[in-house]
Amino acid sequence: MAFDFLVPVEDRVMAHCELLPAQSLGKNCYIHTEKDGLPVLANATMAIVGVKESRNAFEKKLEVLDVSAIRIQLYRLMLGNWDSTLVDMGDIEEGNTVEDTYFVVKEVVAGLLEENIIPIVIGATQDITYPAYRAFDGIKDMINLVAVDSRFDFGIDDDLISSHSYMSKIITDKPNNLFNFSNIGYQSYFNAQEEADLMERLFFDAHRLGEIANDLTLAEPVLRNAHMVSMDVRAIKASELCASANFSPNGFTGREICAIARYAGLSDSLRAFGIYEMENNVQSQQLVAQIIWYFMEGVNFRIPESPYSKTDDFTKYMVPNEMEEFVFYKSLLTERWWMQVPSIFSSHTKGDAMALLPCTEQDYLDACDQKIPERWYKAYKKGFE
C-alpha cells in the first residue's frame, strides 16, 4: 500500500507538541509517529502530507524543505470552532528517481481521495501538482484546477517537466482529465506572450494580481468550482516571507493569500489542496502555517448548496439578451451567485459538471446591461470544443 512509503513525523515535532496547550492544533490532530504508526483514517476530514522532492525545481534548491519546521508553526496555532478531524500522514522522501516520488505522491493522494479525505500537500516544488492531479484518474472524470501563481507554468519544452512547466505536462498527458484551468494572481512580466495566447485559445481563466488584490471577492467564484488548488508561495511578495532572490517584490500580502486560502477551503467542490515553493526561514514557515490554518477554517465552514438541489433557497433571474436568455441564481443563504451555461448540455461535452457556473453579482449586472460576462462566454465556447 502506498501509505507504507510515508515517513513518520520527526521526534522534534512530537517533543514540541508535548509542550503545547490543550487548545492547540498539535494537541487535536492524529499524527503518524515512529511509536504508534499511521493514524486511523476513519472520520478524518483533512490529511497533511509533506513532499521533500525538489530535483525538478526550475531554480535548484540549496537545501531540503524543512516540513517539520512548518508543522511546528502550524501545531502551535489554536484550534478554531471546528468539528473536523485532521491527521498528519508524515512525509514522502525523495525516491530513487523523480518518477518514483511522483508515483508515491499519486498513490498516497489517490488513497486519501478514495477515503473522502482532503489532502493538504506541503511540497518543495510545484511540479508535485502533476502527480497530485494524476491521482484523480479513475476517481473523477473531469478536473477543474486552480493555480494561485505569478506564472502560468507552461514552460517552453513540452517534454521537460519542472516547477515552471508542469502545466504543459498536465495539458498534453493522457488521459486528459483537465476540464478547466484558472490562474489567480499572474504577473504579466513573468509570462511569455505565447503562454497568454495559449490561455486564450484553450478558454482558460486568468486573473491578474492587481485585479484580485483590488477586490479579493473576485477569487471566490473561481475557487468555488475548483476540484484542486495548487498554490505557489512565490505568488506572495518577497517582503512577506523574508525570501531570497527567487521571489518577487510584487505579489499578494499575507492577509490576501490567507483570504484566498479560506475561499479555497469554503469550496465544497475542492478535493485537494497543495502549497509549494516555500523557503526554510521562520517567517515563511509561519505564513505557510497560517495559510493552512485559514484553508482548514474554510473547510469547516463549508455550506454545500446548489440551485439544482434546493430551488426554494435561491432566487432565479432571467435576463433577455440578443444572443440568448441568461439565467442566474442567487442564494438566499450565502448570497452567492451562479449562472447557467446552455452549451454545457451539448452532446459535444464530456460531462455536465459545468452546467452551473459560479459567478459574481457584477456578472449579473453586466448581463442586465446587455454585456456578455466573460466567464460565461469562455464556458460557452469550451462546451463546444
Side-chain angles (χ1 to χ4, degrees), residues 11 16 21 51 55 75 78 137 142 180 185 189 201 212 225 232 256 296 299 302-303 362 372:
D11 290 342
H16 179 266
V51 182
R55 283 171 287 185
Y75 290 151
M78 294 297 131
D137 292 352
M142 302 305 290
N180 191 44
Y189 39 71
R201 284 202 307 274
I212 300 297
N225 222 29
D232 188 334
E256 290 164 352
M296 293 173 61
V299 171
R302 284 182 176 182
I303 301 176
Q362 187 60 49
I372 299 175

Side-chain angles (χ1 to χ4, degrees), residues 280-295:
N280 291 335
N281 67 66
V282 174
Q283 191 165 326
S284 175
Q285 291 153 356
Q286 287 178 333
L287 183 52
V288 168
Q290 290 168 20
I291 289 168
I292 294 170
W293 189 95
Y294 273 101
F295 173 76

Side-chain angles (χ1 to χ4, degrees), residues 220-236:
E220 189 279 326
V222 180
L223 291 162
R224 199 192 321 160
N225 222 29
H227 301 114
M228 178 180 175
V229 167
S230 174
M231 182 178 286
D232 188 334
V233 171
R234 291 172 300 187
I236 306 168

Side-chain angles (χ1 to χ4, degrees), residues 22-25 28-29 76-82 84 293 296:
Q23 302 89 344
S24 65
L25 261 178
N28 290 276
C29 69
R76 68 195 300 182
L77 301 178
M78 294 297 131
L79 196 69
N81 183 23
W82 304 339
S84 63
W293 189 95
M296 293 173 61

Side-chain angles (χ1 to χ4, degrees), residues 185-199:
Y186 81 94
Q187 298 174 41
S188 297
Y189 39 71
F190 288 142
N191 297 282
Q193 187 58 47
E194 289 81 358
E195 292 180 277
D197 292 343
L198 181 60
M199 291 287 287

Side-chain angles (χ1 to χ4, degrees), residues 152 181-186 196 199-200 203-209 211-212 222 374 378:
F152 297 138
F181 170 62
S182 301
N183 170 281
I184 294 175
Y186 81 94
M199 291 287 287
E200 283 293 321
F203 305 110
F204 290 159
D205 306 313
H207 304 270
R208 292 180 71 162
L209 168 66
E211 176 192 358
I212 300 297
V222 180
E374 184 178 358
K378 286 184 175 180

Side-chain angles (χ1 to χ4, degrees), residues 16-53:
H16 179 266
C17 283
E18 289 294 322
L19 305 174
L20 294 173
Q23 302 89 344
S24 65
L25 261 178
K27 289 287 193 183
N28 290 276
C29 69
Y30 300 90
I31 302 174
H32 178 191
T33 64
E34 189 78 51
K35 177 184 175 184
D36 298 326
L38 282 164
V40 175
L41 296 181
N43 301 318
T45 312
M46 292 166 277
I48 291 173
V49 179
V51 182
K52 297 183 178 181
E53 177 63 67

